[in-house]
Amino acid sequence: MFDLPTDLPADLVPLSWLLGVWEGTGVIDYSAGERHLQGEFSHRVSFSHDGGPFLNYAATASFLGGGAPVPLLAETGFWRLGRTQGDSDPGPALLPPTAEGGVRTAADVEQLRTDQGFPLEVSLVHSDGALELYLGRIDGPRIDIATDAVVRTAGAKPYAAASRMYGLVDGHLLWAWDIAAFGAPLASHASARLAKV
């Protein structure tokens, strides 16, 4: 059970169960060619909003290999329902809306629902030089997303695709992340169980 904030834009209601800070541990178990990596990591994830029709996302992870924790990754980004942007939406860049639009309502959001839930768009930037655009669905307390695009800096390690699954189970945020890296096909990479702080 969770409290639904009263100041949420209608577009965020399907995502509202994610709001807050989540912490816990998970396991890494990934093979690519001759490489096999496994171990436990700590993970902290934050979902917040600042009044816009999207969630702000930030996450960090550290490897717990026996000695001092080793920072693995920091990522930041935005989660939003997938919908066509209209004249009443700002953008691109700093361009203001070109039409009066009013506030989106629950009825507007409900029009986005399909048999598989609501369309979802997630854009993430990693501290290691990778940028990901995920597309997928949110259906109640379950989210399934897969990369539509991965962009890497020239010096970033080979990373081609990913999929993630999130679920709210017994008050915990459970997630699994599959990746295609170092020339290997998409395969299981990491999973975690997080509790709301």
Side-chain angles (χ1 to χ4, degrees), residues 151-163:
V151 178
R152 295 178 291 121
T153 61
K157 293 181 179 180
Y159 179 62
S163 65

Side-chain angles (χ1 to χ4, degrees), residues 23-183:
E23 290 183 347
T25 59
V27 293
I28 302 163
D29 192 355
Y30 184 70
S31 294
E34 299 297 316
R35 298 172 185 243
H36 182 77
L37 306 165
Q38 66 183 102
E40 187 177 8
F41 66 97
S42 63
H43 195 48
R44 179 182 170 90
V45 175
S46 171
F47 291 95
S48 63
H49 80 95
D50 56 13
F54 54 86
L55 291 182
N56 300 303
Y57 170 85
T60 57
S62 294
F63 190 69
L64 304 173
V70 176
L72 293 174
L73 176 71
E75 57 184 8
T76 187
F78 303 95
W79 293 52
R80 67 185 192 123
L81 292 184
R83 67 175 176 85
T84 302
Q85 300 291 298
D87 291 340
S88 61
D89 293 301
L94 295 177
L95 298 176
T98 58
E100 296 286 324
V103 176
R104 286 180 47 81
T105 67
D108 296 329
V109 173
E110 193 59 33
Q111 290 179 354
L112 300 173
R113 186 191 299 265
T114 70
D115 292 344
Q116 294 138 6
F118 294 95
L120 186 61
E121 300 172 352
V122 178
S123 55
L124 300 180
V125 177
H126 296 230
S127 57
D128 62 5
L131 295 86
E132 300 171 303
L133 172 62
Y134 285 92
L135 302 178
R137 298 274 172 201
I138 179 167
D139 189 9
R142 181 180 171 125
I143 295 169
D144 292 283
I145 54 177
T147 51
D148 185 57
V150 174
V151 178
R152 295 178 291 121
T153 61
K157 293 181 179 180
Y159 179 62
S163 65
R164 300 187 191 200
M165 187 278 298
Y166 295 80
L168 185 63
V169 179
D170 294 330
H172 287 85
L173 179 62
L174 277 59
W175 66 259
W177 186 5
D178 296 350
I179 65 170
F182 300 107

